[in-house]
Amino acid sequence: MTDPIKAMASRWTVAVPVLAVVLLVLTWGRTLPGGIVVVVTLVLAGAVLAAVHHAEVVAHRVGEPFGSLVLAVAVTVIEVALIVTLMLDGGDKSATLARDTVFAAVMITCNGIVGISLLVGSLRHKTAVFNSEGTGAALATVTTLATLSLVLPTFTTSKPGPEFSTVQLTFAAVASLSLYGLFVATQTVRHRDYFLPVAKQGEKSGPEEEHAEAPSTRTALISAGLLLLALIGVVGLAKGVSPTIESGVQAAGLGHGVVGVIIALLVLLPETIAAVRAARRNHVQTSMNLALGSAMASIGLTIPAVALASLWLPGPLVLGLGSTHMVLLALTVVVSALTVVPGRATPLQGGVHLVLLAAYLELAINP
């Protein structure tokens, strides 16, 4: 890449996050006409691409597995803010908003991001290779978090309906934070090598495989700030266009849950693009870190946040899944375990996960 092209790309990735935040300030809380919605959507797409660029810059500087945490945690923190903001609007629909958003994130990450990463990695390199020890630990944590937070409320009896009592909700929040913190410590300190990309022969990829020179600390810090701006723009602008999306969904006769799926797809798009790029470079472990780490952060940070917010938010907090979604979650866990155990995958495994995602989306549209 020549210097003028690099300079142009640099200017573009700096300008778009700033433009997204400015546009967010100008449109926040207002009803947007059709023409403005088109402009907002274009800026939203640009902010997604800019977020991917800056996340990769930061990830390259800090290295794996720390880099995989950057985008996952950043997106999830802002996703939590979006959920709480929407819940403040009140209404019957807000009671299930946290549950629907978290479950959508789990299905999109564990089936969508994992599936497309395995498919791309195996098609490009014949076999997608990753570390079963680290990926298995991440999957076990995601499964435990999802079961404690989304399945158990359906079967508890302290409160009517799929809700936790105050004591149960407090326990779920503390357990979620504890498990997430324990996993991060395992991933970044004690067993960091379990989460590093592996070579074809099963050996860990070392720093020598990185051909590009790592960016300076100053560049990485600037990219971190621009990443935060881009993610704020993505989530905020997604909220701005959500009334238009909701009107379209209602006009089409679809369920309200489809709106949450669409917003979740938009919010998780930066992680999806980053995971696919890693898979193309034969760093499938990085893709798995992004996918499962995002699912884990979505539950581990969202549940404690909404539990705290429920102290002053009106209305109930419904967390328990219905029978259909519990079947999909159980099938996802079983298939994911069978995918992880060998430490390598073919296009078949990627296709199976993508079919599970398609089934979830189809049932969200036509329950």
Side-chain angles (χ1 to χ4, degrees):
M1 185 181 289
T2 61
D3 289 339
I5 296 178
K6 284 183 178 180
M8 184 181 299
S10 177
R11 287 194 297 269
W12 179 82
T13 55
V14 169
V16 170
V18 176
L19 176 61
V21 173
V22 171
L23 189 59
L24 173 61
V25 172
L26 295 176
T27 59
W28 183 261
R30 299 183 181 182
T31 302
L32 304 181
I36 300 299
V37 169
V38 173
V39 174
V40 169
T41 303
L42 292 175
V43 175
L44 174 61
V48 167
L49 298 177
V52 173
H53 168 78
H54 292 298
E56 290 187 338
V57 171
V58 176
H60 192 187
R61 174 60 185 173
V62 300
E64 285 297 319
F66 299 96
S68 299
L69 293 172
V70 173
L71 191 55
V73 174
V75 168
T76 305
V77 167
I78 300 177
E79 179 184 331
V80 168
L82 176 60
I83 292 173
V84 174
T85 300
L86 292 175
M87 289 180 69
L88 286 171
D89 295 337
D92 295 335
K93 296 176 181 178
S94 66
T96 61
L97 179 63
R99 178 199 67 185
D100 294 341
T101 304
V102 169
F103 185 66
V106 170
M107 295 302 291
I108 291 169
T109 52
C110 293
N111 288 318
I113 299 180
V114 167
I116 195 170
S117 297
L118 294 179
L119 190 62
V120 169
S122 58
L123 287 176
R124 189 174 179 86
H125 304 282
K126 295 187 179 179
T127 304
V129 181
F130 51 90
N131 193 322
S132 60
E133 293 171 309
T135 308
L139 177 62
T141 309
V142 171
T143 301
T144 303
L145 287 171
T147 303
L148 289 177
S149 301
L150 302 178
V151 176
L152 284 183
T154 304
F155 300 99
T156 55
T157 58
S158 297
K159 292 188 68 175
E163 299 178 46
F164 272 144
S165 66
T166 301
V167 174
Q168 292 167 342
L169 184 59
T170 301
F171 171 79
V174 173
S176 297
L177 277 177
S178 300
L179 280 176
Y180 184 69
L182 180 60
F183 176 81
V184 170
T186 301
Q187 184 185 33
T188 58
V189 182
R190 288 191 63 87
H191 298 286
R192 183 182 173 217
D193 56 319
Y194 287 179
F195 301 90
L196 297 177
V198 296
K200 196 70 175 178
Q201 295 78 13
E203 299 177 354
K204 306 292 183 299
S205 296
E208 66 273 5
E209 293 190 11
E210 300 293 340
H211 300 293
E213 183 180 354
S216 64
T217 301
R218 178 175 179 272
T219 300
L221 289 174
I222 293 174
S223 285
L226 291 171
L227 170 63
L228 181 60
L229 286 180
L231 291 174
I232 291 173
V234 169
V235 177
L237 294 179
K239 182 182 184 298
V241 300
S242 62
T244 303
I245 297 174
E246 185 172 357
S247 299
V249 168
Q250 291 177 347
L254 304 176
H256 180 73
V258 175
V259 178
V261 174
I262 294 173
I263 299 301
L265 287 170
L266 287 174
V267 171
L268 290 169
L269 188 56
E271 291 163 307
T272 304
I273 296 175
V276 171
R277 287 183 175 178
R280 285 176 57 85
R281 298 194 301 268
N282 203 22
H283 286 183
V284 179
Q285 182 61 52
T286 300
S287 304
M288 302 297 272
N289 292 346
L290 279 168
L292 297 177
S294 299
M296 199 182 309
S298 182
I299 305 173
L301 298 179
T302 300
I303 297 303
V306 298
L308 183 62
S310 66
L311 295 176
W312 70 83
L313 290 176
L317 178 61
V318 177
L319 292 177
L321 294 173
S323 56
T324 302
H325 285 168
M326 279 193 284
V327 170
L328 285 174
L329 178 60
L331 186 56
T332 296
V333 170
V334 172
V335 170
S336 298
L338 295 174
T339 298
V340 166
V341 168
R344 58 184 63 243
T346 65
L348 174 61
Q349 282 94 332
V352 170
H353 282 280
L354 291 176
V355 167
L356 281 175
L357 175 64
Y360 164 70
L361 295 177
E362 193 275 334
L363 290 172
I365 296 172
N366 185 25

